[in-house]
Amino acid sequence: MFESLSSEIRLDIFRLLIKHADSGLVAGEIAEALELPNTNLSFHLKALVHADMIDVTQEGRFLRYKAKVDQMQFLINFLTAECCNGQPEQCFKKS
């Protein structure tokens, strides 16, 4: 997951898909929103699918991509599990 999100383009794709978590977006909508060529987009979408960060479903001749919100929540929980000596609520306190 970390490797897949380490690319700025893939992170932008994932952020966009999170904003459309309920309906997802087809590849053309993602390409247009992020101003990416389809070949470049395809490479990054495959990496996110392989990392299990997004789902893809066939809709006729289109592919619809959706962020896996549960995976994102897992990653957040993993990152904050040991935050501030096992007290994750401390991570969000303002100094």
Side-chain angles (χ1 to χ4, degrees):
M1 284 186 229
F2 291 119
E3 183 180 349
S4 70
L5 295 175
S6 67
S7 159
E8 187 174 339
I9 293 172
R10 287 192 289 269
L11 188 56
D12 288 345
I13 293 167
F14 191 72
R15 285 180 181 146
L16 179 64
L17 290 174
I18 287 293
K19 291 177 185 175
H20 298 273
D22 292 335
S23 60
L25 295 170
V26 295
E29 294 170 324
I30 298 168
E32 184 178 325
L34 298 177
E35 299 178 358
L36 293 171
N38 287 335
T39 52
N40 193 3
L41 176 64
S42 178
F43 170 78
H44 292 292
L45 288 170
K46 285 179 187 177
L48 287 165
V49 168
H50 181 71
D52 203 30
M53 295 298 295
I54 63 175
D55 276 328
V56 58
T57 54
Q58 184 86 36
E59 289 183 359
R61 59 187 185 110
F62 299 102
L63 295 174
R64 180 167 298 275
Y65 295 90
K66 291 184 179 182
K68 294 181 82 173
V69 177
D70 58 331
Q71 285 296 85
M72 180 188 67
Q73 189 62 52
F74 171 81
L75 185 58
I76 291 168
N77 291 342
F78 172 78
L79 291 172
T80 58
E82 296 300 321
C83 179
C84 300
N85 296 318
Q87 298 176 2
E89 66 279 0
Q90 296 294 317
C91 295
F92 305 105
K93 275 190 170 180
K94 292 184 180 185
S95 300

